[in-house]
Amino acid sequence: MDSRPARAAFLEQLTADGVPYMFGNPGTVEQGFLDELRHFPDLEYILTLHETVAVGMADGHARATRRPTVVQLHSGVGLGNGIGMLYQAMRGHAPLVVVVGEAGLRYEAMEAQMAADLVGMARPVTKWATRVVDPDSTLRVLRRAFKVAGTPPYGPVLVVLPADVMDRHTSEEAVPVVYPDTASAPRPEQIAHAAVLLSGARRPIVVAGDGVHFAGAQQELARLAEVWGAEVWGADWAEVNLSVEHPAYAGQLGHMFGESSRRVTGAADAVLLCGTYALPEVFPALDGVFGKGVPVVHIDLDTDAIAKNHPVDLGLAADPKRTLALLAGALDERMSDEEREAAAERLRLGAAERARDRAEAAEHVRENAAAQDLPHLAFAEELAARLPEDAVLFDESLTAGPALFGPLRAAVPGHWHQTRGGSLGVGIPGALGAQLAHPERTVVGFTGDGGSMYTFQALWTAARHGIGAKLVICNNSSYKLLEDNIEQYWREQDIPAHAQPEIFDLSRPAIDFSALSRSLGVPAVRVEKPSQVQGAVAEALAHPGPFLIDLVTGRGKGQ
């Protein structure tokens, strides 16, 4: 292999792996390899105005493709700006390869401007973090980074590229990364043991998460739930692991408070965990998550997740797709005709009860929207009627979600992605990344008025690169989720209800999202009343480029 600068070899490696985009915000210490991009026309640099946007777009692209996506950040300040979104990517198992430039090894002892322990900064929010110290190991390190990011459990990795190392020559060859096959299955006796533990249950539940999606195990999860007659509850669930229209789908466990989840998990007489851990709330229950003596089986390719917080009776480090199929078969073999009939009846009765609950909730939403003359329910219904079947939805609607995602059902794998990890601002850049992954599809991203302001400058990137996602600001002029959470806190602490903190209010001064959007090159309309819905949806879907809708979902103080 001919010798060339490591900065060029780095880009050759990305090309060898078919990387289409590098998301980033440029800096001086990365200028060497960024200048080389002119020789690599198949690798497009997606320019963002802030590092949170770069990481958020890469997160959306990685989730939509399930392939490692490349992000470039600038030294310590750029990495610092991107840390929050890297945490989001880590919690959501997004396979990101983050490259960060620094001035050079020769300046190690100088404490120079912008110098920082980049590897140390990144370790808490990455699966692996390292630094290239020899040009002849540049590609070896990069291939390892791609392999680590793209092997379950997926996650972000960081590679520091010192400028003086990148300027030195290497003859290392660029060859494609090889990813290990992780489609392993448990031994037959382990499957039999799991079936013995779980059989005979009358109140079984499955607690599932995005490991099901990553494994492509949605059909196998549905089959197991049908055989076992089990409700399926989501935890760390931000993909379509089971269609919300499936009779076994029971909903999401509590994201915020463990007591909410324990009311479900503690009532079961057998529990199967798959593709998640127990349990990922902000304030989790410390004990008593499962009933005393209740058998618990856990399936995951993430060995760290198994029995992470609470004991289980059997842990299977194995591919969810193959394991769920084998377990469904083993359970079916053990069941009598009476048990099969009981399982089917449990599903039927549970589905009917949940359908009644959904109908009551939908009627409450409709009455509330009508009483306040709010347009969001009519908007969701109009959008659902007009969207093509292959549309992709990226959901950071938070408190507006129950109204919007009644009509907009999360039913098809790969067609709905929800925010995860707890950091605000992923809705707009995530939708743009998904649109780049699926340029032929209609992509609609939802965010809140508060969350949008973390990454609103992503609209400039959408306009510059012609990324045609449709973006919806769910505007209630407040941090509504904080208002809901503090009310629950008051109840738990026996604090009398009182006026909400003023710091949760975003209505003073009112933000003109339409004007902001237009100033960044993206046309926009504001929808305040149901009568404005039809025209706004038609205009957005007909527009060939990015388009924003400022959708009023609540009235702020003084409005």
Side-chain angles (χ1 to χ4, degrees), residues 225-279:
E226 292 160 5
V227 168
W228 199 26
E231 295 179 344
V232 176
W233 289 86
D236 218 17
W237 176 302
E239 305 286 347
V240 179
N241 301 295
L242 182 72
S243 169
V244 297
E245 297 173 351
H246 191 279
Y249 178 78
Q252 302 273 342
L253 293 177
H255 163 70
M256 188 63 60
F257 298 100
E259 290 302 320
S260 300
S261 300
R262 182 155 51 188
R263 285 193 286 271
V264 173
T265 58
D269 63 353
V271 179
L272 174 65
L273 292 159
C274 187
T276 187
Y277 66 93
L279 283 162

Side-chain angles (χ1 to χ4, degrees), residues 150-458:
T151 301
Y154 302 137
V157 301
L158 175 125
V159 179
V160 179
L161 302 176
D164 54 0
V165 176
M166 292 295 97
D167 288 341
R168 291 164 59 192
H169 277 236
T170 179
S171 57
E172 194 179 9
E173 185 179 2
V175 296
V177 174
V178 174
Y179 297 93
D181 185 346
T182 58
S184 59
R187 298 189 305 272
E189 58 268 27
Q190 293 174 312
I191 292 292
H193 185 196
V196 169
L197 287 169
L198 299 178
S199 62
R202 297 184 178 182
R203 299 184 308 280
I205 66 169
V206 178
V207 180
D210 285 343
V212 172
H213 166 76
F214 298 141
Q218 289 89 346
Q219 291 184 0
E220 288 75 13
L221 175 59
R223 170 63 178 156
L224 181 134
E226 292 160 5
V227 168
W228 199 26
E231 295 179 344
V232 176
W233 289 86
D236 218 17
W237 176 302
E239 305 286 347
V240 179
N241 301 295
L242 182 72
S243 169
V244 297
E245 297 173 351
H246 191 279
Y249 178 78
Q252 302 273 342
L253 293 177
H255 163 70
M256 188 63 60
F257 298 100
E259 290 302 320
S260 300
S261 300
R262 182 155 51 188
R263 285 193 286 271
V264 173
T265 58
D269 63 353
V271 179
L272 174 65
L273 292 159
C274 187
T276 187
Y277 66 93
L279 283 162
E281 300 101 350
V282 176
F283 302 104
L286 298 176
D287 53 34
V289 170
F290 308 117
K292 188 177 178 63
V294 167
V296 180
V297 174
H298 196 158
I299 301 167
D300 211 316
L301 278 169
D302 185 356
T303 56
D304 181 62
I306 297 173
K308 180 176 185 174
N309 294 326
H310 303 283
V312 303
D313 295 279
L314 178 62
L316 302 175
D319 173 40
K321 184 177 181 70
R322 296 186 65 187
T323 308
L324 289 172
L326 292 170
L327 182 55
L331 284 168
D332 191 40
E333 288 181 4
R334 293 185 60 85
M335 294 172 71
S336 65
D337 289 341
E338 291 77 10
E339 288 174 324
R340 292 189 184 92
E341 291 175 5
E345 183 68 0
R346 279 197 301 273
L347 279 190
R348 187 187 68 79
L349 293 176
E353 181 179 355
R354 290 187 287 274
R356 288 193 296 271
D357 290 344
R358 286 195 301 270
E360 291 177 5
E363 184 59 29
H364 176 73
V365 167
R366 189 174 299 280
E367 291 174 356
N368 183 60
Q372 300 184 63
D373 198 27
L374 291 171
H376 54 295
L377 180 58
F379 176 85
E381 292 172 341
E382 179 71 13
L383 186 62
R386 286 178 171 266
L387 279 178
E389 289 186 1
D390 64 350
V392 176
L393 306 178
F394 201 103
D395 174 22
E396 194 193 21
S397 57
L398 300 181
T399 55
L404 295 173
F405 287 88
L408 296 167
R409 306 289 279 166
V412 182
H415 290 247
W416 174 81
H417 310 285
Q418 191 176 52
T419 183
R420 54 192 176 190
S423 56
L424 291 178
V426 74
I428 294 175
L432 299 181
Q435 183 71 80
L436 285 172
H438 300 297
E440 75 288 357
R441 296 182 182 178
T442 299
V443 175
V444 184
F446 299 83
T447 186
D449 50 333
S452 72
M453 293 306 296
Y454 285 61
T455 52
F456 205 84
Q457 60 270 61

Side-chain angles (χ1 to χ4, degrees), residues 31-77:
Q31 60 191 1
F33 68 77
L34 293 177
D35 188 45
E36 292 282 352
L37 279 169
R38 67 188 188 280
H39 302 305
F40 296 85
D42 292 335
L43 177 58
E44 183 179 359
Y45 189 92
I46 303 297
L47 177 61
T48 69
L49 300 180
H50 196 273
E51 290 82 0
T52 52
V53 175
V55 180
M57 289 185 70
D59 180 272
H61 188 271
R63 292 180 64 179
T65 61
R66 284 190 282 172
R67 291 181 56 82
T69 300
V70 176
V71 186
Q72 172 266 318
L73 302 179
H74 173 48
S75 196
V77 290

